[in-house]
Amino acid sequence: MGGTDHMPTAIGTSSPIPGLGPPGVHGICFSCDSIKDMDIAEEVATRLAAPAPAPAPATAPATVEATATATSTATATAPATTTAAATWYSVGILATDQELALRCAEFCRRHGLHALFHPLDLDVCGTDPLDDRLLRLLGRRADELDSPWLNIDLAMWVREGETLLESLVPMPLVDEAVDWAVDRVKHAQDVIGRPLTIENAPYPFVVGDQDILTLMTRIAERADCLMTIDVGHLYGLRVQRGLPPVLPSDDDIAWDRVVEAHMSGTFVRRFEGGARLVDDKHDWPVGDEVWDLADQLLPRAPQLRSVMAEAEGMNADELTESVRRFARRADYWWGAS
């Protein structure tokens, strides 16, 4: 496990974060189930490479005010045709699946996309010892994909050797979790040879009373790693706890370490007694409340490189439109860059 002789892999806490990934590249990312839905990914990437259809002209407004409104709406919704709607593609695979990694790498090359690696068996919060052999395999997959970093949710992904893809156990919101995660993140980065970016997981249940972004900042600064903000997960967690979506403590987050943001649909389950559970649904459109939270938080991140439209379960039409909607909104999110 990591010790006091850790050598910085990604960034130093006392110096500015260098440009990571392809120089100057920031843009929209999309995802599909890398095992089952690569045919959808192919279709979507092909459609996104073509100019988007122009918005339908407004129908004969009756007043000058209506004309101005129609023009404003068309401008706000029309995507630029000279810039690709998608820049990144998120690859979720296991460390041992070299064949799929190479297939995804070739897919990205053909479509002019940059790969972002989201391993499905890297566990920086669980209780199983970290396996150096698996970490070295993850490093090889990252090399094959040429991913600038590896993204991992702060949750237990593995239990007694079994992957928990459909039943992740989120990191407890307690101080002790910071010490545990820091050592594991340091060690993983050292063996893999590329930086990790830690992401706030979904919380179907909550243990502890600390704020997730505050804990992530402490882990990132001590482990010398990067951060990913999942806006839908954050919205769901705070709503479940009866908190406002934006907190005063957000002013003190290490925003200069945030390189990715993820957004997907949410679904609210209501129970007797007034309890609520907010689930993230990758096959649902992003709701207004998640867009609003993204607009308040993402411009604070000067190193933001990728905003991902998470979309496992969508068909090609739905995912294409989702990515284009993200692209139309993106300029605002790069406000701090």
Side-chain angles (χ1 to χ4, degrees):
M1 301 293 291
T4 57
D5 58 347
H6 166 66
M7 296 296 291
T9 303
I11 48 183
T13 56
S14 61
S15 60
I17 296 175
L20 290 169
V25 170
H26 57 210
I28 305 305
C29 180
F30 72 98
S31 66
C32 288
D33 187 312
S34 297
I35 298 172
K36 298 184 297 185
D37 293 336
M38 286 305 295
D39 56 336
I40 294 177
E42 289 279 359
E43 178 66 22
V44 170
T46 299
R47 294 185 188 185
L48 293 174
T59 56
T63 64
V64 172
E65 180 180 359
T67 303
T69 300
T71 302
S72 174
T73 301
T75 301
T77 58
T81 58
T82 57
T83 302
T87 304
W88 303 89
Y89 179 72
S90 177
V91 179
I93 59 173
L94 297 168
T96 54
D97 203 338
Q98 182 184 34
E99 180 180 353
L100 186 53
L102 294 174
R103 180 184 174 191
C104 290
E106 193 270 337
F107 162 80
C108 288
R109 283 193 294 270
R110 280 191 291 107
H111 292 287
L113 299 168
H114 303 286
L116 290 177
F117 185 18
H118 192 326
L120 303 180
D121 46 4
L122 174 56
D123 190 343
V124 297
C125 288
T127 55
D128 283 10
L130 286 174
D131 181 344
D132 281 5
R133 176 182 171 277
L134 179 139
L135 295 176
R136 287 191 290 270
L137 286 174
L138 289 173
R140 293 175 194 167
R141 302 295 85 84
D143 290 344
E144 291 155 0
L145 293 164
D146 195 23
S147 179
W149 51 78
L150 289 76
N151 181 80
I152 185 67
D153 292 74
L154 288 175
M156 180 187 290
W157 281 78
V158 180
R159 175 64 173 167
E160 296 180 354
E162 178 182 355
T163 55
L164 306 174
L165 301 183
E166 303 299 330
S167 52
L168 303 180
V169 180
M171 181 185 77
L173 300 177
V174 297
D175 291 333
E176 293 82 357
V178 173
D179 294 334
W180 184 257
V182 164
D183 285 343
R184 291 168 71 92
V185 170
K186 284 181 179 179
H187 183 75
Q189 288 189 142
D190 285 343
V191 177
I192 292 170
R194 291 189 185 234
L196 298 187
T197 173
I198 54 174
E199 176 184 351
N200 53 308
Y203 275 81
F205 57 88
V206 181
V207 175
D209 59 2
Q210 300 283 332
D211 177 65
I212 183 60
L213 295 190
T214 299
L215 295 181
M216 287 173 64
T217 289
R218 291 167 56 192
I219 293 169
E221 290 181 340
R222 287 177 52 191
D224 200 13
C225 70
L226 304 171
M227 292 169 57
T228 292
I229 304 297
D230 190 303
V231 183
H233 293 173
L234 181 65
Y235 173 81
L237 174 59
R238 288 180 171 173
V239 167
Q240 279 179 227
R241 299 179 66 189
L243 300 172
V246 179
L247 299 177
S249 59
D250 293 340
D251 292 341
D252 300 321
I253 301 308
W255 291 108
D256 61 340
R257 291 177 178 266
V258 176
V259 291
E260 274 193 67
H262 296 177
M263 294 170 63
S264 62
T266 55
F267 174 71
V268 180
R269 302 178 187 271
R270 303 183 185 277
F271 300 92
E272 292 184 9
R276 291 182 293 177
L277 172 63
V278 183
D279 285 346
D280 67 315
K281 299 282 287 181
H282 289 188
D283 56 348
W284 283 32
V286 176
D288 290 342
E289 64 282 349
V290 178
W291 287 110
D292 291 343
L293 183 55
D295 286 346
Q296 293 185 71
L297 295 183
L298 299 190
R300 306 185 188 197
Q303 299 291 338
L304 183 65
R305 291 293 176 264
S306 168
V307 179
M308 181 162 71
E310 294 188 287
E312 291 84 356
M314 285 188 178
N315 62 37
D317 290 339
E318 293 167 333
L319 181 50
T320 300
E321 176 51 35
S322 179
V323 173
R324 284 178 172 158
R325 186 181 180 193
F326 272 60
R328 292 193 291 265
R329 197 123 171 185
D331 284 347
Y332 181 73
W333 297 331
W334 315 131
S337 299

